[in-house]
Amino acid sequence: MKNRLEQARRIVVKVGSALLVDEKSGTLKASWLSSLVDDIADLRVRGADIILVSSGAIALGRRTLGLAKGKLELPQKQAAAAVGQIALAQAWAEALRTRNIVAAQVLVTLHDTEERRRYLNGRATLGTLLEQGAVPVINENDTVATTEIRYGDNDRLAARVASMMSADCLVLLSDIDGLYSAPPNRKGAEFIPEVRAITPEIEAMAGKPVSGVGSGGMITKIDAARIALGAGCNMVIASGHVEHPLRRIRSGERVTWFLAEATPLQSRKRWIAGTLQPTGRLTIDDGAKAALIRGKSLLPAGVKAISGSFSRGDTVSVIAADGQEIARGLVAYDSGDAQRIKGRKSSEIEKELGLAGRDELIHRDDLVMMTGNADGQ
Ligand code: GLU
């Protein structure tokens, strides 16, 4: 079996606070960080995009702010994060710079990944950073997040980022090397090397629904796995307590793999085809229909009529001249703009709308054929 990290094209790596920050001194573990950055550089050389989700802001900031001891209240955590995030971003930027990699700090809140317009914007910005060769370093914007609308853990945040960016591998580096059938210190606890579905049994291993057995950390990791697998993204839980943690996964070290049954593109297309109610209809000409069947994107030039009121990113139906729904897709323009550019050449979009948008009305990755091959490939 080939190593999935080896094959992945877009990888999200989540780094836990305990790995980056020394518990006793509250300072950064620079040599470990440098070994991880070496691994990241190696993966990039073999062509993978890397996105980092890094914890550590609170752990780094609390001491500087004079909050070294005891459990912190939420406002104290938020204040510590405000101080620590500066040091955290600087540490990543400096470490990555030694390998000639540009770091980009991205702070997100729950709304940014859950609300459609922000989600689309985030996706576009992160996509641009990757195209330009930068490595996004993401954390929750702890200082402004409130309890109710807060991830609170970066496991689920990393999984949402992986889903948003159609990543094909999510690596959770933490202080545990994988999933066990019972708490690892208990007699008879077995290591689980591979999981293909999040069953109630798997949830129980993480300490759910029976409380108090598993570590709290495993529950959020299983939640992350559910998000990742649903998005067609493989996930791996691996120990970060060693130098070169990614190299070790590549060389087949013991880890737990959660394996998705579909690819990110297939999952995205299933989601488009199956779960959303189309809010608009685009009627296209025969030339556009032939292009879609060949696997091309839908350009404004091939659209004859538009009905319904929709926003950018909504699912719309694509209707052939004979009235049959032949495809569904996520539309790149709202209904007002789509009306103005329908029938036009892509080169005329900027003149018509006064701003340069996408050439396609629906990009092929966002389009699924409703007749024949459901994956639209
Ligand atoms: N966002 C938090 C921080 O940077 C960490 C959350 C977590 O540990 O998962 O300190």
Side-chain angles (χ1 to χ4, degrees):
M1 181 185 69
K2 275 205 185 153
N3 191 311
R4 276 102 185 172
L5 188 56
E6 214 54 65
Q7 295 167 316
R9 281 172 305 180
R10 181 166 286 178
I11 306 165
V12 175
V13 181
K14 183 258 172 177
V15 182
S17 303
L19 305 178
L20 268 179
V21 185
D22 183 81
E23 207 187 333
K24 286 204 189 84
S25 64
T27 56
L28 203 94
K29 296 184 186 171
S31 127
W32 183 83
L33 179 60
S34 146
S35 84
L36 174 60
V37 166
D38 278 349
D39 294 359
I40 288 168
D42 289 348
L43 283 169
R44 281 166 46 101
V45 166
R46 79 119 185 84
D49 288 337
I50 305 286
I51 299 171
L52 290 163
V53 174
S54 177
S55 308
I58 298 170
L60 277 176
R62 58 186 296 169
R63 205 166 278 253
T64 321
L65 203 56
L67 297 166
K69 295 216 172 64
K71 200 172 170 317
L72 301 183
E73 301 296 329
L74 185 62
Q76 293 177 316
K77 282 189 190 165
Q78 296 188 292
V83 174
Q85 183 61 37
I86 299 175
L88 185 62
Q90 192 181 5
W92 278 112
E94 276 171 11
L96 288 163
R97 196 180 304 129
T98 64
R99 303 297 306 248
N100 294 320
I101 301 171
V102 175
Q105 177 187 249
V106 181
L107 297 178
V108 297
T109 60
L110 190 78
H111 279 321
D112 299 328
T113 56
E114 307 305 300
E115 200 225 305
R116 192 190 53 234
R117 276 184 55 220
R118 294 190 188 206
Y119 175 100
L120 290 171
N121 240 24
R123 185 176 156 95
T125 308
L126 288 172
T128 305
L129 286 168
L130 293 174
E131 262 164 40
Q132 295 303 118
V135 167
V137 180
I138 303 177
N139 197 359
E140 186 163 17
N141 193 347
D142 290 309
T143 303
V144 297
T146 69
T147 331
E148 309 80 63
I149 48 161
R150 182 166 182 267
Y151 278 101
D153 67 89
N154 278 353
D155 294 328
R156 290 176 306 145
L157 171 63
R160 291 298 293 160
V161 167
S163 156
M164 171 161 107
M165 296 312 294
S166 302
D168 43 15
C169 190
L170 166 62
V171 182
L172 298 185
L173 294 178
S174 70
D175 37 17
I176 182 148
D177 59 352
L179 178 68
Y180 290 79
S181 60
N185 52 6
R186 192 176 292 183
K187 218 175 141 233
E190 272 172 40
F191 188 81
I192 312 284
E194 201 173 286
V195 175
R196 287 182 182 267
I198 310 301
T199 59
E201 260 175 306
I202 297 290
E203 287 179 343
M205 289 177 193
K208 217 193 223 181
V210 200
S211 61
V213 269
S215 69
M218 196 48 78
I219 292 175
T220 56
K221 288 178 181 52
I222 298 297
D223 286 344
R226 193 179 292 105
I227 297 168
L229 298 194
C233 176
N234 294 323
M235 185 181 110
V236 55
I237 300 179
S239 169
H241 273 317
V242 283
E243 297 218 331
H244 296 292
L246 300 177
R247 192 187 292 171
R248 292 171 74 109
I249 301 174
R250 292 174 78 180
S251 65
E253 195 80 358
R254 187 173 89 159
V255 294
T256 299
W257 277 102
F258 293 78
L259 299 177
E261 47 139 350
T263 65
L265 190 59
Q266 286 165 340
S267 301
R268 191 167 159 78
K269 292 197 170 195
R270 272 183 211 168
W271 170 72
I272 293 168
T275 57
L276 299 180
Q277 268 304 319
T279 48
R281 291 159 66 89
L282 313 183
T283 306
I284 61 169
D285 62 24
D286 289 340
K289 177 180 170 183
L292 297 194
I293 290 170
R294 289 202 311 273
K296 303 275 189 227
S297 298
L298 178 65
L299 302 178
V303 176
K304 292 195 302 187
I306 292 173
S307 66
S309 165
F310 49 84
S311 306
R312 188 166 81 85
D314 279 353
T315 303
V316 295
S317 288
V318 180
I319 312 291
D322 62 5
Q324 202 200 355
E325 182 187 40
I326 62 158
R328 275 183 193 182
L330 304 181
V331 67
Y333 291 90
D334 66 29
S335 39
D337 285 350
Q339 289 287 5
R340 288 166 62 187
I341 61 173
K342 71 167 194 274
R344 305 270 185 143
K345 292 205 188 81
S346 298
S347 56
E348 295 172 328
I349 293 177
E350 185 166 358
K351 201 170 76 203
E352 185 57 43
L353 301 182
L355 52 97
R358 290 184 83 153
D359 285 352
E360 310 87 13
L361 206 47
I362 304 179
H363 189 271
R364 58 192 298 264
D365 288 351
D366 296 334
L367 190 89
V368 48
M369 299 306 285
M370 300 300 282
T371 52
N373 178 356
D375 282 339
Q377 310 281 331

